[in-house]
Amino acid sequence: MPSLNIGITGATGFVGRHLVADALERGHRLTAFVRRQPAGALDPRVAAVAVGDLGPETDWNDHLAGLDAIIYLASRVHVMTETVSNPLAAYRKVNTEAAVHMVAAAARHGVKRFVYVSTVKANGEETPWSPAEGGRPFGPDSPPCPVDPYGISKLEAERKLSEFATATGLELVIVRPPLVYGPGAAGNFARLVKLIGKGVPLPLGSVQNRRSMISVQNLADLLLLTVTHPQAPGQIYLANDGQDLSTPQLVRMIARALGRSPRLVPVPTALLRSLGRLAGRTAEVERLVGSLQVDSSLARSRLDWIPPLSVADGLALAVREYNPTAAQ
């Protein structure tokens, strides 16, 4: 793999930290665009450039000159809707407008390739699955149907970036990951691991679903491959670890990695959904009982990509901070 000069936004985030470590190990030179200095979370081998908040007015000056490629990881994920009058506008500023502004500056400075990290939410929130008929995962050609401002802003960025790439010849790659987990992950995955580690009974024993996930190590590996592979541009890649799990399977695998016994209580899925609606937690419950699968065959066939980690190995690494003896 050739050594490249790569610019990264979002380098200090969860995925960014793993991506930076992997890229440095492979001998790439990195420039991280951060809000302000000092960027203490960064490896000292990374050149940190303070550009302030990302948006349509970010002054890129000559910061992009000399870069071979850019990986756009920065993302507005959470907006407090009760304090923001227009949540979609808040998402668009970073996820859409800032990315479009940066890609235009990148083209002016001779950057050859732009990798935009989107989300499976650009496709939608769920896919059908049943024990009798199996599932129909999202693929690159699935009609997109985002339902929340985050997914809408990401899809808008994909379309505007694609228009720009077509008009200018800049090489664009779009990657839509599902749930990303790994060491240092926060959110629902971390909460689930903590509950399992504490031995809390979980009312998920009757859930029959399938969900795609990708370990942060596997995602970093794919992103770096899309930077260098000659066949990568002009495509949308969905990616997973290669094994979709039901929620009970996930609980059992996490419990095994923690050295705990899974405490799964069989509760009808319809009842869980009803309780979720009553509690105003419909979205959270659906992420546990619904299905969301992606088809990663394009990345595997076009790029010859093989995820470095299996699901079991990825989960074992992810839970080590909760059980240091795991995965040893």
Side-chain angles (χ1 to χ4, degrees):
M1 180 180 293
S3 175
L4 299 178
N5 193 358
I6 303 172
I8 302 175
T9 67
T12 59
F14 166 54
V15 176
R17 294 193 302 271
H18 290 271
L19 177 66
V20 164
D22 197 348
L24 289 174
E25 186 175 335
R26 300 182 192 208
H28 294 300
R29 291 159 290 147
L30 302 181
T31 299
F33 300 105
V34 298
R35 284 191 177 93
R36 60 187 65 86
Q37 297 280 23
L42 284 173
D43 187 291
R45 292 172 290 175
V46 179
V49 177
V51 295
D53 291 332
L54 293 181
E57 292 84 27
T58 302
D59 186 358
W60 291 107
N61 294 312
D62 294 324
H63 299 320
L64 307 182
L67 295 179
D68 298 302
I70 290 171
I71 301 176
Y72 194 93
L73 266 175
S75 185
R76 183 71 180 263
V77 179
H78 300 294
V79 171
M80 300 301 290
T81 55
E82 63 272 17
T83 60
V84 177
S85 59
N86 189 345
L88 181 55
Y91 281 106
R92 279 175 172 152
K93 181 179 179 181
V94 175
N95 298 344
T96 309
E97 297 166 8
V100 173
H101 178 59
M102 187 179 190
V103 82
R108 291 195 302 270
H109 286 87
V111 179
K112 183 179 181 181
R113 189 170 297 188
F114 194 92
V115 178
Y116 183 71
V117 182
S118 185
T119 172
V120 70
K121 284 177 170 285
N123 288 99
E125 295 289 336
E126 62 180 340
T127 53
W129 185 87
S130 70
E133 299 180 3
R136 294 195 300 275
F138 286 133
D141 298 325
S142 298
C145 187
V147 300
D148 67 4
Y150 175 61
I152 291 169
S153 66
K154 286 288 195 176
L155 180 62
E156 289 178 348
E158 290 184 18
R159 288 173 169 170
K160 291 182 179 181
L161 292 172
S162 296
E163 291 172 1
F164 184 88
T166 300
T168 63
L170 179 137
E171 297 178 350
L172 174 67
V173 180
I174 295 170
V175 179
R176 293 177 183 168
L179 170 70
V180 184
Y181 68 93
N188 292 329
F189 179 81
R191 285 191 286 272
L192 181 62
V193 173
K194 290 177 182 178
L195 290 173
I196 296 169
K198 292 177 180 178
V200 176
L202 300 173
L204 304 170
S206 297
V207 174
Q208 297 187 60
N209 64 344
R210 290 293 184 274
R211 297 194 75 87
S212 295
M213 306 185 304
I214 187 167
S215 76
V216 68
Q217 295 91 345
N218 287 343
L219 178 57
D221 182 78
L222 176 61
L223 293 177
L224 291 174
L225 181 59
T226 64
V227 167
T228 58
H229 199 291
Q231 298 299 317
Q235 302 294 329
I236 297 173
Y237 299 98
L238 290 95
N240 60 7
D241 285 334
Q243 179 186 357
D244 295 341
L245 302 176
S246 69
T247 300
Q249 286 174 323
L250 175 61
V251 170
R252 293 187 185 100
M253 293 183 76
I254 291 174
R256 187 178 305 118
L258 289 169
R260 307 283 300 196
S261 296
R263 302 189 67 188
L264 287 163
V265 179
V267 175
T269 302
L271 178 57
L272 292 176
R273 286 191 164 110
S274 296
L275 293 173
R277 286 192 295 271
L278 290 173
R281 298 292 184 90
T282 298
E284 291 91 329
V285 171
E286 279 304 316
R287 283 192 285 269
L288 290 170
V289 304
S291 293
L292 180 57
Q293 295 178 276
V294 303
D295 179 358
S296 62
S297 59
L298 181 63
R300 295 167 187 269
S301 62
R302 189 176 182 89
L303 308 180
D304 296 319
W305 180 63
I306 300 174
L309 293 179
S310 67
V311 176
D313 290 340
L315 288 173
L317 287 174
V319 305
R320 285 187 67 175
E321 61 189 303
Y322 305 97
N323 179 7
T325 64
Q328 292 185 350

